[in-house]
Amino acid sequence: MVDPFISQNPVCPVSIYDVEKADVILVTHEHNDHLGDGVELAKKFDAYFVSIYEITTKASYMGVKKVMGMNIGGTANVEGLEVTMVPAFHSGFPVGYIIKHGGVSIYHAGDTGLFSDLKLIGELYKPDVALLPIGGHFTMGPREAALAASWVKPKVVIPMHYNTFALIKQDPDAFAKLVKERDQGIEVKVLRPGEALTYP
Ligand code: NI
């Protein structure tokens, strides 16, 4: 799981009691809408709690047994996942993750503004799937995220971090149009809350 924001999330269709299993929980930063129920779920399922060092230290104090503190640029093997921590521009000890498993590479950007090193993430990790924030106000908006997608060059991009609150209201189809204008080769997959994508 990445950023399990469930119990306080106004658009999440399930409760934390519906979660049946978690092996690895990756947290991108300490804001409530990302850390969410991460500590509670890690304790309940004895899952690995992965985050930047400062946040895992707090999680340990809160009783999480299995923590994997990392820092930017590093790669760790966690329960068979190859996890690389990459930069994000935001507050609250922000990071993104490259998650590799079974020949598939996923980039989860966390909360971030646009930054040109996204090109390096594309060049070095060649993600198959990228999750990019499009909500604006606290992160990139659709205009910036479309440019980010063209730099990261995933096969599939999933917009995230929008329409949870009034401040981050956006039209994901407008984002899809902007991505297509920049790169016809990137498929935009808009997921509704609760919907899943199996890749490939
Ligand atoms: Ni945030």
Side-chain angles (χ1 to χ4, degrees):
M1 303 176 86
V2 181
D3 288 351
F5 175 45
I6 299 170
S7 59
Q8 304 294 316
N9 185 335
V11 298
C12 184
V14 299
S15 91
I16 58 165
Y17 305 107
D18 296 318
V19 179
E20 289 170 357
K21 189 172 179 246
D23 309 300
V24 180
I25 296 171
L26 302 110
V27 172
T28 61
H29 62 297
E30 65 181 2
H31 291 158
N32 266 349
D33 58 331
H34 294 263
L35 176 58
D37 305 290
V39 167
E40 194 175 341
L41 290 172
K43 282 157 74 169
K44 182 174 178 182
F45 294 107
D46 197 26
Y48 258 104
F49 182 100
V50 181
S51 195
I52 204 162
Y53 176 77
E54 282 75 5
I55 301 175
T56 50
T57 303
K58 289 183 195 171
S60 292
Y61 280 127
M62 293 166 83
V64 176
K65 295 271 189 314
K66 285 153 68 176
V67 297
M68 180 70 81
M70 297 181 65
N71 223 310
I72 288 164
T75 299
N77 195 298
V78 193
E79 305 278 283
L81 297 178
E82 189 187 308
V83 177
T84 302
M85 185 171 274
V86 294
F89 278 78
H90 193 68
S91 62
F93 300 113
V95 301
Y97 292 103
I98 307 290
I99 305 156
K100 284 192 180 177
H101 181 71
V104 175
S105 175
I106 300 167
Y107 169 45
H108 190 296
D111 274 5
T112 188
L114 185 66
F115 59 104
S116 58
D117 280 2
L118 287 162
K119 291 174 193 171
L120 298 179
I121 288 172
E123 183 185 334
L124 193 53
Y125 305 112
K126 297 183 173 48
D128 298 296
V129 180
L131 295 98
L132 300 177
I134 67 158
H137 197 95
F138 300 109
T139 68
M140 297 190 274
R143 177 182 51 183
E144 293 81 11
L147 183 56
S150 76
W151 286 345
V152 173
K153 271 196 169 300
K155 295 183 184 79
V156 176
V157 64
I158 301 170
M160 63 176 183
H161 210 271
Y162 65 95
N163 293 356
T164 321
F165 313 105
L167 279 175
I168 56 173
K169 193 167 164 48
Q170 294 291 348
D171 175 9
D173 295 327
F175 165 71
K177 196 162 163 270
L178 292 171
V179 172
K180 287 290 162 203
E181 279 170 20
R182 290 197 177 271
D183 191 333
Q184 295 281 336
I186 301 172
E187 185 188 352
V188 181
K189 208 65 194 154
V190 175
L191 299 180
R192 283 179 297 278
E195 205 177 355
L197 171 69
T198 303
Y199 184 92

